Amino acid sequence: IAAMVTIFYLAWGFNYGQVPLQTRLGTDFSKADQAGMEAEFNRATNVLLTEAGRLPVQLTTDESIRNLSIRDHDLRPDVEQALLTLGLPHQGKVRVRQLWPKGFLLRWNTAGIYIPQAGEGHIDKGLLSVQKPFTIAHEMAHGYGVADEGACNFVAWLACSRSRDQWVRFGGALTYWRYTASAMPWESVKAVIQQFPPVLQRTVDLINENDRKYPDLLPKVRDAIYSSYLKGNGIHHGLKSYNEVVVMVQQYLERDSTQTGIH
């Protein structure tokens, strides 16, 4: 156990000691409010609708949503460009594998994991294809040394949203939209979903259907252990750090529009 812990920190774990990306970006969580969350939810909804509308017909089938092939090297240029934009290390070729059996990670309410001892990221084989771009990009960000979960989500959002690949942009927009939706009252989210075009409604249904295949195991125990692990390594908000991406994106876009004069 001591050897494994030592290898963990020497290989990767000391990345928790970096200046957080949130600090580098100047994110101020004290300014976050429900009005801002609602505005970001609406913006993310519009982006998702736009990306869905751009999909060619062959990418709107159930088969594509479930099983379209997504490989780690398809995402690597996008992730490296996002890291370069943020002034973060981006050298090397981080790999992300799909972990068997299906549902092994999903039953613990996680889609992916980075294993420093192996030097590779892993995502659950049971994820639908539409969920994989954002998840691969997130685990790849870990591989390039980004430790904070919210920061990895931000890198994944930036990588997917600026990708040239239509499917990557769509998958990334959908996963990020779900983060924004988690900060909204269910009735508001439900009203938006009811207005979705058929391909989006079907995609949401397929994701929910897939989630039901892998019910959580010991959710309270899992959350307590992982949150304690994150807090013990300097991620003060624990599991809540995943959702920090919404405030990070909102303030990043506000700052970017101010600097470029775009309103």
Side-chain angles (χ1 to χ4, degrees):
I1 293 174
M4 291 294 289
V5 171
T6 300
I7 293 172
F8 171 82
Y9 279 100
L10 290 178
W12 184 84
F14 285 120
N15 284 309
Y16 281 113
Q18 297 182 70
V19 175
L21 179 60
Q22 292 88 329
T23 302
R24 297 186 184 200
L25 293 176
T27 307
D28 187 348
F29 292 102
S30 68
K31 294 182 179 179
D33 56 25
Q34 191 58 35
M37 294 298 96
E38 183 174 353
E40 181 58 16
F41 171 71
N42 292 334
R43 188 200 66 81
T45 299
N46 290 333
V47 170
L48 177 57
L49 290 170
T50 298
E51 295 301 343
R54 290 173 175 170
L55 287 177
V57 175
Q58 62 268 26
L59 294 184
T60 63
T61 64
D62 285 10
E63 179 62 23
S64 293
I65 294 168
R66 287 192 178 106
N67 300 315
L68 187 71
S69 178
I70 299 291
R71 300 180 178 86
D72 62 350
H73 61 261
D74 295 331
L75 272 295
R76 191 177 295 121
D78 297 324
V79 174
E80 290 178 348
Q81 184 58 47
L83 293 168
L84 177 63
T85 299
L86 298 170
L88 298 175
H90 55 279
Q91 292 76 25
K93 292 186 177 181
V94 175
R95 295 188 63 179
V96 178
R97 298 180 183 271
Q98 298 191 74
L99 191 65
W100 289 85
K102 289 183 178 180
F104 179 78
L105 294 176
L106 291 174
R107 287 188 181 276
W108 297 98
N109 197 32
T110 187
I113 185 173
Y114 182 74
I115 303 178
Q117 294 88 340
E120 294 178 336
H122 300 78
I123 66 170
D124 198 295
K125 181 72 173 177
L127 287 171
L128 301 187
S129 174
V130 73
Q131 298 173 285
K132 290 179 180 178
F134 194 99
T135 310
I136 290 174
H138 175 107
E139 298 307 327
M140 200 168 280
H142 276 314
Y144 283 105
V146 182
D148 183 271
E149 301 296 351
C152 283
N153 275 346
F154 182 85
V155 172
W157 165 80
L158 188 62
C160 292
S161 64
R162 296 186 177 183
S163 175
R164 294 183 179 180
D165 188 295
Q166 290 176 308
W167 188 253
V168 170
R169 291 199 310 274
F170 173 63
L174 177 60
T175 301
Y176 176 68
W177 176 84
R178 296 182 77 196
Y179 275 108
T180 66
S182 68
M184 298 294 295
W186 168 239
E187 289 303 319
S188 299
V189 177
K190 183 179 178 180
V192 169
I193 293 175
Q194 290 174 342
Q195 299 300 317
F196 274 170
V199 63
L200 272 178
Q201 290 191 13
R202 183 59 180 155
T203 301
V204 172
D205 289 342
L206 288 174
I207 291 175
N208 291 335
E209 176 186 302
N210 192 59
D211 287 344
R212 288 192 289 270
K213 294 180 182 178
Y214 311 107
D216 286 358
L217 295 175
L218 302 173
K220 292 183 179 179
V221 174
R222 173 207 64 215
D223 289 354
I225 292 174
Y226 192 50
S227 191
S228 295
Y229 160 78
L230 291 173
K231 291 178 180 178
N233 282 285
I235 310 300
H236 302 299
H237 292 153
L239 286 174
K240 294 180 180 179
S241 63
Y242 282 91
N243 291 319
E244 289 180 353
V245 65
V246 180
V247 179
M248 294 176 70
V249 170
Q250 179 196 25
Q251 295 188 10
Y252 179 82
L253 291 176
E254 287 178 351
R255 183 166 52 253
D256 190 53
S257 65
T258 300
Q259 293 173 348
T260 58
I262 299 174
H263 301 283

